[in-house]
Amino acid sequence: MLIVASHNGAIGMRQAKAALEGGGSAMDAVEAGTRLVEANPAEHSVGYNGYPNILGELELDASIMDGRTLNSGAVALLRGYPYAISVARQILERKLPHVLLAGEGAERFARETGAEKRGEMLSDDIRQMWQARLATVGAAQWAASQPADAPLLDLVKLATDPQRVAGTVNFLAIDSAGNICSGVSTSGWAWKYPGRIGDSPIIGAGNYADNRYGACCCMGMGEMAIRAGTARSVVLYMRMGMSLDEAAHTAMRDLHDLGGEYIGHMSLLALDRHGEHIGLASEAGRKYIYQTGDMPQYAEVERGLVDLPRRWAGEPRG
Ligand code: ASP
């Protein structure tokens, strides 16, 4: 058994391992680990107290994929329900004939299936951060009054800063039956245009798992992973005969083909069906964590550095 997670998944590692040790499935482990990150008020890129959109509203994206059946569940633009990963899981558990629900439909489904709701999703600190960001781009007045139908296009271009204020949690697991599951949860870019959906809930872009080959989850500028189909690419390259290492590097190299100016950072975590794992990032010093059944504690590993062009005006995240 194996659990691999992005570094911010550390808070959920013990729970994820306990799920597997208690005879739970890879999906139980992924959900259990992710929920602790979603509940963590100090983690501003996932779940409760994440970064809001330009209107100051928190819109969550998440997905989960079962590598045995290729069944998947995903939610986007979910408001008021901190455990987006659990709502995503219910889409496949309840056998809804859909994969992805967004916005009001996702919230309706969450309510109907008894998901935990939370009245206030943002702390005062995060609200102040949002106001401060709008003030730095000359929109403090606007933030206070928020006139309906005010144009947002230019404001979003000025305010969003995905190099510094974004993030995601990735969990991948293999259980004792050899089944693989992958899960991704995020609040997306800070100060994004309302309704923006990133790669995290897009199966094939930010998340993909197939027991026969392996799995991959992404973090970074989701628009890039959507355009390149990154998570599915890694798994498909393994299917075509590449090693995990070659597949992951090739998928990252594919990002060089993307034109346009919104090109920035990208990271991925992947594993193969034998339990080999890899983490790559376009920024130095990034780490991920993993734990096998015989390890009393998770271990940290430095991600391999992959050079990517950077055409986004913002500074890289610290
Ligand atoms: N991939 C996420 C998104 O684009 C954000 C991130 O990982 O930084 O929504």
Side-chain angles (χ1 to χ4, degrees):
M1 82 185 214
L2 170 71
I3 304 159
V4 181
S6 49
H7 198 262
N8 57 352
I11 194 169
M13 235 17 202
R14 206 156 53 88
Q15 238 7 62
K17 186 165 184 250
L20 289 181
E21 283 171 345
S25 64
M27 189 168 288
D28 293 333
V30 165
E31 183 185 12
T34 305
R35 281 175 63 92
L36 278 150
V37 186
E38 290 174 332
N40 180 6
E43 171 54 69
H44 301 315
S45 67
V46 181
Y48 168 71
N49 213 26
Y51 295 119
N53 66 18
I54 193 80
L55 300 177
E57 296 166 340
L58 186 63
E59 293 179 322
L60 304 179
D61 293 346
S63 67
I64 195 159
M65 183 158 187
D66 177 2
R68 187 174 63 85
T69 58
L70 309 187
N71 276 336
S72 316
V75 286
L77 310 173
L78 182 70
R79 286 174 306 178
Y81 293 87
Y83 300 109
I85 197 76
S86 297
V87 182
R89 181 176 180 175
Q90 285 305 308
I91 289 177
L92 69 93
E93 294 290 353
R94 304 287 183 124
K95 301 201 178 350
L96 194 71
H98 308 307
V99 168
L100 170 61
L101 293 178
E104 284 177 17
E107 286 147 27
R108 183 182 184 122
F109 176 82
R111 192 165 60 244
E112 185 176 337
T113 54
E116 298 97 317
K117 198 170 164 55
R118 187 163 183 150
E120 186 47 75
M121 291 286 284
L122 295 180
S123 66
D124 288 345
D125 288 356
I126 290 290
R127 273 196 197 289
Q128 276 160 21
M129 208 175 149
W130 165 70
Q131 276 158 353
R133 180 63 186 165
L134 288 178
T136 52
V137 296
Q141 203 82 33
W142 178 88
S145 58
Q146 286 206 16
D149 297 331
L152 296 178
L153 175 59
D154 293 332
L155 188 57
V156 164
K157 284 191 199 171
L158 282 175
T160 55
D161 188 10
Q163 301 282 63
R164 275 182 293 203
V165 276
T168 295
V169 65
N170 296 161
F171 264 92
L172 303 105
I174 307 182
D175 61 27
S176 53
N179 290 320
I180 301 177
C181 177
S182 51
V184 183
S185 183
T186 187
S187 51
W189 292 18
W191 343 128
K192 61 194 173 185
Y193 200 103
R196 179 264 183 186
I197 297 173
D199 59 322
S200 308
I202 308 295
I203 297 299
N207 188 4
Y208 204 79
D210 184 330
N211 276 6
R212 296 169 296 175
Y213 313 106
C216 176
C217 294
C218 299
M219 182 185 296
M221 286 181 59
E223 282 71 1
M224 294 169 67
I226 291 173
R227 291 166 67 201
T230 302
R232 169 73 168 141
S233 293
V234 171
V235 176
L236 194 58
Y237 287 142
M238 286 195 273
R239 179 181 178 162
M240 289 164 64
M242 288 188 195
S243 67
L244 173 68
D245 192 274
E246 286 172 311
H249 278 91
T250 305
M252 286 291 270
R253 269 200 305 275
D254 288 347
L255 300 169
H256 282 261
D257 299 337
L258 301 177
E261 62 191 285
Y262 296 111
I263 301 297
H265 67 279
M266 177 60 62
S267 313
L268 63 79
L269 276 185
L271 51 75
D272 68 15
R273 68 194 171 93
H274 307 295
E276 294 298 319
H277 45 89
I278 187 169
L280 297 178
S282 59
E283 289 170 304
R286 299 270 157 180
K287 293 186 172 143
Y288 73 97
I289 53 177
Y290 78 97
Q291 193 166 6
T292 56
D294 50 7
M295 291 166 60
Q297 176 61 280
Y298 63 78
E300 282 186 355
V301 192
E302 185 117 358
R303 293 178 189 248
L305 183 62
V306 175
D307 192 38
L308 281 184
R310 191 184 298 283
R311 298 196 288 274
W312 177 264
E315 295 293 315
R317 285 186 294 173

